[in-house]
Amino acid sequence: MSKVVSYEELQAHTKKDNLYVLIHDKVYDVSKFLDEHPGGDEVILAEAGKDATEAFEDVGHSDEARELLPPMLVGEFSKEDAAKFKTGRSSQANNAASHAVEQGSNLMYFVPLTLLGAYFAWRFY
């Protein structure tokens, strides 16, 4: 039976010499692979303690790259924590989207008013 890794344990391993990433609900210890990663260690460090599945798939890793994963496997990610993790991530995305819409709305309101004010100032000056 494989080890079950909790969210807290995943978060505890975010340093360069002790680094876990989550890919497809499996936790991998990639700290020894950092120096060998063709894309540099920064891209992996950016995903430390997070669900790196989307980043991993977006790059389009080769079959050879996928074959490197099994020896680095630490265990399965906790199903209870996976539900919380995905819920927390979606609420963060919703908050960010809400903030962006609010910021865009403010911009759409003040820019035309500023331009109109500048036009009248120029016209009557």
Side-chain angles (χ1 to χ4, degrees):
M1 182 166 181
S2 70
K3 178 180 175 181
V4 176
V5 180
S6 69
Y7 178 72
E8 290 78 21
E9 187 175 355
L10 179 67
Q11 290 292 300
H13 299 312
T14 57
K15 303 289 185 249
K16 196 171 185 174
D17 61 336
N18 189 8
L19 183 67
Y20 284 8
V21 292
L22 176 65
I23 301 172
H24 295 294
D25 294 327
K26 293 183 180 177
V27 178
Y28 298 94
D29 181 354
V30 295
S31 49
K32 292 179 181 161
F33 181 69
L34 285 176
D35 294 332
E36 300 171 28
H37 189 256
D41 60 354
E42 298 88 21
V43 293
I44 298 178
L45 286 168
E47 299 299 323
K50 301 179 191 173
D51 186 349
T53 303
E54 187 174 335
F56 183 81
E57 293 300 336
D58 283 350
V59 173
H61 283 91
S62 65
D63 290 338
E64 290 81 17
R66 292 172 192 278
E67 289 172 6
L68 295 173
L69 287 175
M72 294 186 259
L73 181 67
V74 174
E76 298 281 330
F77 191 59
S78 167
K79 297 205 185 305
E80 294 83 29
D81 288 340
K84 290 184 224 171
F85 196 37
K86 289 177 181 166
T87 304
R89 193 173 16 158
S90 64
S91 69
Q92 287 174 347
N94 288 342
N95 288 341
S98 174
H99 181 67
V101 167
E102 181 181 315
Q103 208 169 18
S105 297
N106 291 338
L107 199 59
M108 288 181 357
Y109 179 73
F110 288 112
V111 168
L113 282 177
T114 303
L115 291 173
L116 191 60
Y119 171 75
F120 282 115
W122 173 77
R123 188 84 170 124
F124 292 108
Y125 181 65

